[in-house]
Amino acid sequence: MNSIQRLPASLTPFDVALAVLLRDLVAVAPVELPLRQALGCIAAEMPPASAYPPHDVAAVDGWALRARDLVGASSYTPLPLAVSPLWVEAGDKIPGNCDCVLDADSVDHTGPLVQVLAEAIPGQGVRRAGGDIGAGTQLAEAGRQVLPGDLLIARAAGFEKIAVRRPCLRIVNIPGGTITANLITDGARGRGAEVIFAEAASRDAASIAEALDPDCDLLITVGGSGVGRTDATIASLAKCGEISAHGIALQPGRTAAVGKVGEVGKTPIIALPGAPDQAWAVWWTLAVPALDRLTGRRPRRTVTLPLARKIASHVGLAEIVLLERKDSGWMPLATGDLPLETIARADAWLLVPGGSEGFAAGAQVDAYMLRE
């Protein structure tokens, strides 16, 4: 039977736990992935694209002509041509002596002479060289998530692969925390990580330790971090590596832990509580900053708005507050205990520092967006 895990007499301040976790983390090396696999990953530095199209092309189907030769042409004063113009399809290269494309009805071929029935201006019906992609355009900004629009540019520019930073994140589910583990897995994939999902065979320390494979960039366990009689994650972590902090001054999520496992490189590990709201809070405050460091992601976006209502907090605990954007301000939805329905509904969150009693109504606060 497992001995009961216990929290230390005093909780580790949140800022200290975060600093310890991030201290030795650096961005992983870039890898080149096929475009479809790169979607959602964090872009690394890439060579700029060449101009596209590389030369003037027809934007429409029609007749390729030179605009200055068509001055005065109309249906009332047709302009006869000695030689029939060239027909081009959309996307065809414009002949070197032409600078416009007239539609089919603007050139009459019914008589003995070909006649032009309309004027044109230079560039009409033409897509200029570099009109879609200018020379030197970045395919995807380094440190930003690769979006479908980035892949559109890459494909048009002729790239088959794109460089990204894609850390390997191993998520170990302790039996009983499947809902929470799926929540964290979805969040990790949404932030560009390669996710390996594993499950401990049982809730005992030996089974959990066996699942703690350090061959990854970040290891996350879900469940078993508390002080229940079947909680053994921290005991297994102590056998496989080192515990930097167990019991963090964070509400919810105070039973979380951070440490390292493995001999080579000392893989960072975060032990998340099994309750969905507690794990969600630790994910955003500890795991996401670690993952952002590994991907080289740019700083997360915050939005500063006034509070529609006062937020009261306990001194000594950093507390998560869920917010809804309403009437150009932030409306607090929940503090400390976070119902799942409220988590799904929230637009943003903020962290009240452990040394603060909260924020007054009307105070300007910086909130992290949940819907980027």
Side-chain angles (χ1 to χ4, degrees), residues 17 76 150 157 190 194 197 227 246 278 283 305 315 340 342:
Y76 299 103
D150 300 318
E194 176 188 2
F197 187 86
V227 295
H246 175 222
Q278 296 184 43
W283 164 256
L305 293 173
V315 175
L340 298 187
T342 307

Side-chain angles (χ1 to χ4, degrees), residues 105-273:
D105 294 336
S106 296
V107 178
D108 182 10
H109 282 75
T110 60
L113 291 176
V114 176
Q115 301 183 100
V116 179
L117 309 179
E119 292 184 311
I121 60 174
Q124 179 176 322
V126 174
R127 181 157 292 159
R128 296 296 192 187
D132 281 318
I133 304 173
T137 297
Q138 291 296 323
L139 298 182
E141 186 180 359
R144 302 293 187 191
Q145 198 161 31
V146 177
L147 301 175
D150 300 318
L151 299 186
L152 171 66
I153 298 297
R155 290 190 178 99
F159 284 78
E160 296 182 354
K161 295 183 177 182
I162 190 170
V164 298
R165 299 185 192 276
R166 191 187 189 196
C168 177
L169 191 156
R170 183 179 179 88
I171 296 176
V172 178
N173 179 41
I174 312 306
T178 302
I179 292 177
T180 303
N182 287 334
L183 172 69
I184 302 306
T185 299
D186 292 341
R189 287 180 174 146
R191 297 193 74 82
E194 176 188 2
V195 177
I196 299 174
F197 187 86
E199 187 159 4
S202 181
R203 292 181 65 91
D204 62 90
S207 297
I208 296 172
E210 187 175 349
L212 300 184
D213 185 348
D215 186 19
C216 58
D217 298 302
L218 178 62
L219 184 58
I220 290 180
T221 62
V222 179
S225 68
V227 295
R229 295 191 176 187
T230 59
D231 289 327
T233 297
I234 308 306
S236 64
L237 173 56
K239 293 180 180 179
C240 298
E242 60 185 52
I243 303 171
S244 301
H246 175 222
I248 299 172
L250 176 68
Q251 181 63 24
R254 69 178 70 188
T255 66
V258 297
K260 293 184 178 181
V261 295
E263 295 299 327
V264 179
K266 293 287 187 179
T267 303
I269 183 170
I270 308 171
L272 274 58

